[in-house]
Structures are given as C-alpha cells and as structure tokens.
Amino acid sequence: MSITNTPTSNDACLSIVHSLMCHRQGGESETFAKRAIESLVKKLKEKKDELDSLITAITTNGAHPSKCVTIQRTLDGRLQVAGRKGFPHVIYARLWRWPDLHKNELKHVKYCQYAFDLKCDSVCVNPYHYERVVSPGIDLSGLTLQSNGQPNAILPGSHTDNLLPITSGTPQGSQQNGFQVHSTIYHHSSNSSWSGSRMVAHTPNLPHHQNGHVQHHPPLPHLGHYWQVHNDLAFQPPISNHPAPEYWCSIAYFEMDVQVGETFKVPSTCPVVTVDGYVDPSGGDRFCLGQLSNVHRTEAIERARLHIGKGVQLECKGEGDVWVKCLSDHAVFVQSYYLDREAGRAPGDAVHKIYPSAYIKVFDLRQCHRQMQQQAATAQAAAAAQAAAVAGNIPGPGSVGGIAPAISLSAAAGIGVDDLRRLCILRMSFVKGWGPDYPRQSIKETPCWIEIHLHRALQLLDEVLHTMPIADPQPLD
C-alpha cells in the first residue's frame, strides 16, 4: 500500500476492500456492504486501470476526474449481492454517495460511456458518473418544490460536497446530507441552492466534507427559533404551539448498569453540546466524563474511558431533530429508532456504528411524533377490543379469526407509557459495541455509555397522552 495509505490495483483485494469500506455512507449493513465491495473488486482485479479509477473516485470523494468502472450487464440488468437483487449502479451509488437513493433518481453524466441507461454490454458503476435527480413537486426534506412547468431539477455539482438528501417525508431542517446505518459512515454537504422561479434552498449550516473529514459550519439557530422564515423559504410549522422546553435534552452517564454522576441538562440556548472524556467541570455546552468518579470502576472500564477522547458532538436542529458527529478516534455505537427505520430494520432491532469524523442524523422529531401517535392509538384500540372480547362481543377460538386476534390484541394493549418514552430516548456507547454482532448483548454490559432524553419529544408525548380519549370504565358484574 502507498505511503498515503490509499491502495492501488496492485495491492491485495483485502487491503482495497478495507480502504473502500471506510468511505461507505450507510443505508446497508456492514455485511452487505463488504460483500458488495468484495464482489466489485474481484470483478475489476483484471482491469487495473478501472480499479484504480474506482479507488481514486471513492477515496477522493469525486474530487478528481475518473474513468468508467464497468462490470458485465446481466440478462435482467440486476446484480445479486448477498441474496438481494438490485441495479448495480444504484447499489454502489447508495453505498458510497446517497444511502436513501431511489432507483429512478439517477442520471448519468455526459462523459460516461457505459451508463446503465445506454444499454451497453457493460455497465458503469462509478458513483461519480451519476447525478441525483429531484422530481419537481416532491417533498425535499420538508420543503416543497414547485415545478412551474420546468423540467426536473438536477442537484448542482456532481460531487458529494453539494448534496442534499431527498428523503420523502423527512421533515424540514433535517437536510439529510448522508446517513449512516449499522456500521456505516454518513457524511457531508455544503451550500446548495436552486435559483429561479422554483425556490432557493440555502443550507449554510451543513458540515463540509474535505478529504474524508467533516468540518462544522456555525450551528443552526436553537430550537426556540424554528418558526422563523429565512430568505424565501417558509419552514414547516411547529408540531406543537407549546413553548420550547428550557432544556432541549438531558444526558445521563453510565458505567455498565450504574449511573455515574448527576444528569447533565443542556439549555435550549446551546443547540450544540459536546460529551468528551476530559475534566473541565464548568458545564454549559460541554459534559466532561473524565471528571466523574466511581468507587466501583474496574480496570476494564478505566481502559475504555481513556479512549473516549474528544467524544461526540450532539446538535439539535429545527424543532428537535438531532445529529451526531463522532469527534473521537474510536467509533461510537447508537440505538436510534430513526436509523432503524432508515436501515429497514424493526424498531430497536439494530445497533448503529458511527465511525470517527462521521456526521449523521439520529433522531427525527416528526417521525417520532407520528410513531407515538400511532402506537398510542393502537394500544387504546386494542385495549377497547380486548375489553369487548372479555364481554363476549368478539368471536371465540372456534370462530373465524379464533384466538390469534386476541393474542395480537393482548400484545398491542400491553404498550405502555414506558414503551412510548423509549421513542424519545437515544442510547450511545463509547469504544465498545453491543448487540447481535458483539459478545455484549445489552448496552448495560458496555463499560461507558450515555442515555439522552430529548425534552421536546417528551413534551409532545405528554400532549399525545393527554389528548387520547379515555374510555369510560365498565362496571364490574
């Protein structure tokens, strides 16, 4: 491998795969990403110039011109990876550029000779030979594009430093410029604008990605300002007219299953807070874990604490969306219902690895609000149906529907306030992961971790619970 640690086509497949894995952006599990990259590298091993083009394109984030990177077109045009089929140019564009990409959103650049749409025998899978297309009128992070009869708008620039996410239903303020899901990396974006009669969308506060590192621009206004209108862009109205809470989050630090120190509250006037391993006790926008003592601390915990270093930065955007940047030299691991959904996983089913310098969205307030409304309504309906069943008003086990509905009703009726509260909480471990891929099955088995309670979300949950109609109690026979 070269002095710069960037491999070439002469290096071993393993070294090349490892390097390219470091640049993936998320949306897929680590296993799937590795299989997809290994498959591509092996196909290109005999085409050294194309493999070098791929390495250059990916490791420089498209900063340098690169050639077509081709594989053989299959009969149905799709590529099978780890038991899943998809269009090859879409698979690799999702892997290295846009994790939330839809298959109909790609348009090849003019100089690409083997683009998928050209129907050649070979297909170019160089992610930087494609641009992402926004259809007029779709919801772009909560901002409505008015078409005015104009053709599709193509995101300006063909490089990732000018990207905005196109996630249908993502609320405003999230500007999803890269996501990370389950052991993957999320990146970057800088100022982007659509000028003309449609709209102008300025995003001055997105992190800028240079040479694999993420830099912050000044943070967005704190959540108390979410209703303001900037430029010609009208933000979505707040979910609730209830005033923003005094503190936007509170953070509790744990070692194994023991909370250490007091809960740290972050004022709404500080939209960005850092949690690190140092010892400054002054508080404010910085929670230093190094100053906290624990008489039960083990040597293993002490060793892990030494690696927290610069830790993580939590940023509240808009009314209550949350983004995380990993400042540490070691990965952190997050339990996030938002990332579960982005990864297509069941809620609470995955632990998501955030690599050093990655900057990702981990919480979406509007999505959380919808979830809590749906779950509360489902629980109430199930409880009512269960009461009707007890009264003998639904079919019994011998009827059509039988016992199965009663079982599912019982499960739904069992949803309690604690289940809904979990939607408003993030958990994050430092250095050591947990879950199916690790020997530690629970976060309470990791040496050092934090639990983040999101106050705006809890405020909304309180409103949801208060507005739920309560059925009149039935008299006992």
Side-chain angles (χ1 to χ4, degrees):
M1 197 172 289
S2 64
I3 297 174
T4 61
N5 290 327
T6 300
T8 69
S9 57
N10 293 320
D11 287 304
C13 285
L14 191 62
S15 299
I16 298 171
V17 169
H18 176 76
S19 176
L20 296 179
M21 282 282 285
C22 292
H23 293 269
R24 70 195 190 284
Q25 301 242 354
E28 301 291 358
S29 69
E30 186 170 9
T31 302
F32 179 86
K34 189 174 182 181
R35 292 277 293 275
I37 294 173
E38 283 176 345
S39 171
L40 181 57
V41 170
K42 287 175 182 176
K43 285 183 173 76
L44 298 174
K45 203 58 179 154
E46 300 305 317
K47 298 188 282 187
K48 293 186 179 296
D49 57 334
E50 293 188 21
L51 182 52
D52 282 325
S53 283
L54 176 70
I55 294 168
T56 299
I58 302 307
T59 58
T60 65
N61 299 297
H64 301 296
S66 53
K67 301 176 183 177
C68 284
V69 177
T70 62
I71 61 174
Q72 187 70 29
R73 181 186 290 270
T74 59
L75 288 175
D76 65 355
R78 295 184 299 167
L79 178 69
Q80 182 160 325
V81 177
R84 289 165 45 188
K85 276 197 167 187
F87 295 115
H89 63 312
V90 176
I91 289 174
Y92 294 105
R94 282 177 181 158
L95 202 58
W96 283 307
R97 293 192 71 180
W98 306 288
D100 61 330
L101 179 72
H102 188 272
K103 64 183 180 181
N104 296 324
E105 292 175 348
L106 285 183
K107 179 184 174 85
H108 64 271
V109 295
K110 294 177 182 177
Y111 51 82
C112 183
Q113 298 177 315
Y114 297 95
F116 182 82
D117 292 338
L118 297 180
K119 309 291 190 205
C120 301
D121 290 339
S122 296
V123 178
C124 178
V125 294
N126 185 337
Y128 294 93
H129 277 205
Y130 295 88
E131 292 174 321
R132 190 169 186 177
V133 176
V134 186
S135 299
I138 70 165
D139 184 2
L140 174 63
S141 295
L143 312 177
T144 304
L145 295 174
Q146 300 300 329
S147 65
N148 290 341
Q150 298 191 22
N152 290 355
I154 300 176
L155 294 181
S158 60
H159 304 315
T160 50
D161 57 346
N162 284 328
L163 295 184
L164 275 179
I166 310 150
T167 306
S168 178
T170 302
Q172 83 72 25
S174 66
Q175 293 114 352
Q176 193 144 341
N177 48 336
F179 319 29
Q180 168 166 342
V181 180
H182 192 53
S183 304
T184 40
I185 301 177
Y186 303 58
H187 288 295
H188 51 273
S189 184
S190 72
N191 298 351
S192 295
S193 65
W194 286 261
S195 57
S197 59
R198 274 185 296 261
M199 59 169 260
V200 179
H202 292 290
T203 57
N205 303 302
L206 297 182
H208 183 61
H209 187 277
Q210 293 179 332
N211 300 327
H213 300 287
V214 184
Q215 298 176 343
H216 272 294
H217 290 277
L220 283 172
H222 69 80
L223 58 90
H225 293 166
Y226 55 79
W227 50 83
Q228 291 182 348
V229 175
H230 299 277
N231 300 322
D232 299 323
L233 197 72
F235 282 10
Q236 283 188 355
I239 298 172
S240 167
N241 292 323
H242 197 286
E246 181 182 0
Y247 300 96
W248 72 264
C249 80
S250 55
I251 307 169
Y253 169 65
F254 294 83
E255 292 176 358
M256 306 296 277
D257 59 351
V258 176
Q259 181 174 346
V260 178
E262 296 182 1
T263 299
F264 184 86
K265 294 184 178 180
V266 185
S268 293
T269 51
C270 294
V272 179
V273 62
T274 302
V275 182
D276 60 39
Y278 302 125
V279 294
D280 186 346
S282 56
D285 62 351
R286 195 169 156 214
F287 184 19
C288 294
L289 306 180
Q291 59 165 324
L292 302 176
S293 59
N294 176 11
V295 294
H296 302 294
R297 184 171 293 152
T298 64
E299 187 177 341
I301 294 174
E302 194 64 70
R303 282 198 306 269
R305 280 168 52 85
L306 292 174
H307 295 293
I308 295 174
K310 296 179 181 179
V312 295
Q313 194 174 70
L314 306 174
E315 183 173 1
C316 181
K317 288 190 176 187
E319 190 177 352
D321 294 350
V322 179
W323 291 64
V324 168
K325 182 177 179 183
C326 180
L327 305 175
S328 173
D329 292 333
H330 295 267
V332 295
F333 302 82
V334 179
Q335 189 174 61
S336 157
Y337 289 118
Y338 172 76
L339 291 181
D340 290 343
R341 177 170 175 169
E342 291 299 311
R345 307 288 288 267
D349 184 46
V351 177
H352 307 271
K353 186 175 183 180
I354 305 178
Y355 286 86
S357 296
Y359 177 76
I360 69 166
K361 182 177 180 180
V362 294
F363 180 80
D364 186 299
L365 186 67
R366 288 182 185 272
Q367 177 191 304
C368 176
H369 187 236
R370 286 193 299 270
Q371 274 186 289
M372 62 177 68
Q373 285 179 316
Q374 290 166 359
Q375 288 194 22
T378 300
Q380 188 195 34
Q386 205 172 38
V390 171
N393 294 333
I394 70 169
S399 316
V400 176
I403 195 73
I407 293 172
S408 59
L409 285 175
S410 177
I415 297 173
V417 174
D418 284 345
D419 298 293
L420 296 172
R421 279 182 68 251
R422 289 191 192 99
L423 299 174
C424 312
I425 296 171
L426 297 169
R427 286 178 159 187
M428 180 184 304
S429 68
F430 296 95
V431 187
K432 300 293 185 180
W434 83 98
D437 299 330
Y438 297 90
R440 297 162 292 275
Q441 294 305 301
S442 165
I443 194 171
K444 293 182 179 181
E445 297 172 36
T446 62
C448 38
W449 57 282
I450 55 176
E451 185 171 84
I452 305 149
H453 291 242
L454 303 172
H455 292 193
R456 184 60 169 173
L458 289 166
Q459 203 176 47
L460 295 178
L461 174 59
D462 189 65
E463 287 185 12
V464 168
L465 294 174
H466 272 92
T467 55
M468 290 296 296
I470 300 174
D472 294 331
Q474 298 297 319
L476 295 174
D477 292 335

